[in-house]
Amino acid sequence: MHTILEQLEQRRAVARMGGGQKRIDAQHAKGKLTARERISALLDHGTFEEFDMFVEHRATDFGMADTRIPGDGVVTGWGTVNGRKVFVFAKDFTVFGGSLSEAHAGKIMKLQDMALKNRAPIIGLYDAGGARIQEGVAALGGYAEVFQRNILASGVIPQISLIMGPCAGGDVYSPAMTDFIFMVRDTSYMFVTGPDVVKTVTNETVTAEELGGARIHTTKSSIADGAFDNDIEALLQMRRLIDFLPLSNTDPLPEIACLQPVDAVDMALDTLVPDNPNKPYDIREVIQRTADDGDFFEIQDAFAKNIVTGFGRVEGRTVGFVANQPMVLAGVLDSDASRKAARFVRFCDCFNIPIVTFVDVPGFLPGTAQEYGGLIKHGAKLLFAYGEATVPKVTIITRKAYGGAYDVMASKHLRGDVNYAWPTAQIAVMGAKGAVEIIHRKDIGDADKIAAHTKAYEERFLSPFVAAERGYIDDVIMPHSTRRRVAKALKLLAKKQLSNPWKKHDNIPL
Ligand code: HXC
């Protein structure tokens, strides 16, 4: 009996060593943790329950029969993050470069099935070289089975991917179908085909970093939702993100004790909006002063900075914040900003997270680049996302809400539940200059007349009151009471019931 127990311990010890000490050292030398070290940094201490530690590949071609390593390049299991259940898999680069075999895919599929059945988030930690080349089509089939499960789990349980090394070929598409992708700067990269293939096909010379590093994917392609400096920081931030999310689409929002009273006035907000309507201010200030303890987890902070998206809490409950950012391009809506915010709004709606929207938007960005790039369809994504969302929607117009962008940004007409405006709000078809130049074109040469028309337009239309007179705005509120008014609105809407007509699924303009 004793020997049998020892054998188990020995087998476990062998599995824990993955591809062996030399490869573990090489991993550390690159500034990366091993798969198991990553899992233990992600989960609460001692909570990891591993599955399938003894699974091995079944390939025999290319001498593979003699190279079987228990675990087969991926560590899978579950544990807790601040006491809440999560499933996790971590690619083990020390075993066949973390590449995906049929058996390796089977481990991930089993975990995906368990996560879906038990309704808890799944987090994938990537550090891998794509399909196991020695396995051919068996590996390709494995990928597709994983993808299928990503699709079925989408909108049911949160799925998060953290890229911590190479992520190439077949490995990219599973993360692409998850809710969020984060990367580690300098050590991770993602691409469908690597620099060598690119050189052969297009004759471009690029490094892996230039082709798919964290900078590219957070600022240019928008594939990644954020990047962190090292493995530990990235894993700790994933713990922070998980704390904001419900375990599934039927689980209640997590609640964290709120120590900051919501009824205190915040006088700084009364002077935040400059007198000059063309001067910018940082909308993040408003978000941070509305959220509990200013705690704000920003999503896509480096992409389409003219709109800000992310999670915070009000009175301890998670809220998704969306806000035009006057500091960047005057907060205009362009294709990138529309796509970014639309995806975020849809995530919130999937998981019953109320949406608080701050509006200061001069309209949609004009120009051939935008029109040729599909602004109509991209803008429609945000319009569609807000319009289909049934979660509580609280909107505060802080300054400009011009033209179509007024409609899009969670207006009353798109089933905004509680819509407020600050006294500085200007809700109109367009700004004074453009409006006067169109409706008083014949007076353009007469500066006095134009000045008089402009003043008249500003007094009549550039205020919240025309909208408030029609009930499009529920109240004009003092900026200093924003947190209190938002908290009250969210309390009112806590048990909101609204559903859309039955359909198989909608046809959002993709
Ligand atoms: C089998 C692999 C492997 C793979 C790496 N290894 N990738 N084994 N299949 N795909 C093994 C290496 O043989 C090596 O084994 C160990 O992992 C580490 O690899 P190195 O090359 O030494 O590491 P490094 O220099 O850091 O380079 C990492 C890498 C490179 C950039 C990921 O290994 C690489 O380019 N791999 C191939 C990537 C690729 O083309 N994958 C297939 C994509 S096609 P030893 O024993 O020496 O430690 C695909 C199609 C699926 O995925 C499509 C589905 C939709």
Side-chain angles (χ1 to χ4, degrees), residues 243-423:
D243 283 350
F244 283 105
L245 307 181
L247 297 183
S248 75
N249 65 343
T250 50
D251 219 58
L253 286 183
E255 280 207 51
I256 287 192
C258 168
L259 302 176
Q260 187 193 359
V262 290
D263 47 7
V265 293
D266 188 346
M267 299 312 284
L269 286 180
D270 284 356
T271 50
L272 184 70
V273 174
D275 289 338
N276 179 346
N278 298 321
K279 265 195 149 176
Y281 62 95
D282 189 354
I283 201 72
R284 269 198 212 90
E285 279 264 318
V286 184
I287 296 174
Q288 280 162 349
R289 287 170 182 277
T290 305
D292 294 352
D293 302 314
D295 188 14
F296 180 51
F297 190 100
E298 196 166 341
I299 298 293
Q300 298 226 341
D301 62 333
F303 181 76
K305 294 180 182 179
N306 38 332
I307 204 154
V308 177
T309 54
F311 300 107
R313 294 184 190 85
V314 175
E315 282 194 292
R317 285 163 59 87
T318 304
V319 164
F321 286 103
V322 180
N324 309 114
Q325 173 56 287
M327 302 267 285
V328 180
L329 297 172
V332 77
L333 276 182
D334 59 4
S335 297
D336 287 347
S338 303
R339 275 195 304 117
K340 166 179 164 179
R343 184 159 167 80
F344 183 75
V345 165
R346 295 194 101 213
F347 176 83
C348 291
D349 194 46
C350 284
F351 291 101
N352 308 309
I353 297 172
I355 300 165
V356 174
T357 304
F358 291 108
V359 183
D360 187 348
V361 60
F364 280 101
L365 183 62
T368 51
Q370 287 295 312
E371 298 290 354
Y372 296 174
L375 177 65
I376 296 172
K377 208 162 229 181
H378 295 307
K381 291 184 169 103
L382 183 55
L383 173 58
F384 198 113
Y386 267 126
E388 74 174 341
T390 55
V391 285
K393 290 184 278 195
V394 178
T395 305
I396 297 105
I397 300 174
T398 57
R399 191 167 58 177
K400 296 170 194 165
Y402 291 168
Y406 155 75
D407 277 340
V408 169
M409 294 300 297
S411 64
K412 201 66 167 173
H413 325 285
L414 295 180
R415 303 190 296 183
D417 294 296
V418 176
N419 292 61
Y420 290 142
W422 285 4

Side-chain angles (χ1 to χ4, degrees), residues 85-128:
K85 186 170 49 184
V86 295
F87 289 81
V88 59
F89 64 89
K91 304 264 181 169
D92 185 350
F93 190 76
T94 70
V95 179
F96 308 116
S99 58
L100 182 135
S101 68
E102 189 184 11
H104 173 128
K107 287 180 67 172
I108 298 175
M109 285 147 52
K110 186 196 265 189
L111 200 76
Q112 290 177 300
D113 291 341
M114 278 201 180
L116 191 57
K117 232 185 290 174
N118 294 290
R119 295 288 196 266
I122 182 162
I123 306 168
L125 310 179
Y126 286 82
D127 187 356

Side-chain angles (χ1 to χ4, degrees), residues 23 30 32 64 93-100 128-134 139-140 143-144 147 166-171 173 189 191-192 194 196-197:
R23 292 189 182 90
K30 289 179 193 155
K32 301 194 290 184
M64 288 298 278
F93 190 76
T94 70
V95 179
F96 308 116
S99 58
L100 182 135
R132 179 90 44 91
I133 293 165
Q134 297 90 331
L140 300 186
Y143 270 126
F147 302 157
C167 181
D171 267 311
Y173 282 111
Y189 47 88
F191 36 66
V192 179
D196 296 343
V197 178

Side-chain angles (χ1 to χ4, degrees), residues 448-474:
D448 289 344
K449 275 191 176 165
I450 289 292
H453 293 317
T454 303
K455 191 160 179 289
Y457 183 90
E458 282 172 355
E459 279 170 6
R460 177 64 186 134
F461 291 117
L462 294 193
S463 87
F465 294 104
V466 178
E469 283 160 18
R470 291 179 179 271
Y472 297 169
I473 292 296
D474 296 301

Side-chain angles (χ1 to χ4, degrees), residues 192-204:
V192 179
T193 50
D196 296 343
V197 178
V198 169
K199 176 79 190 159
T200 311
V201 177
T202 68
N203 204 26
E204 291 168 287

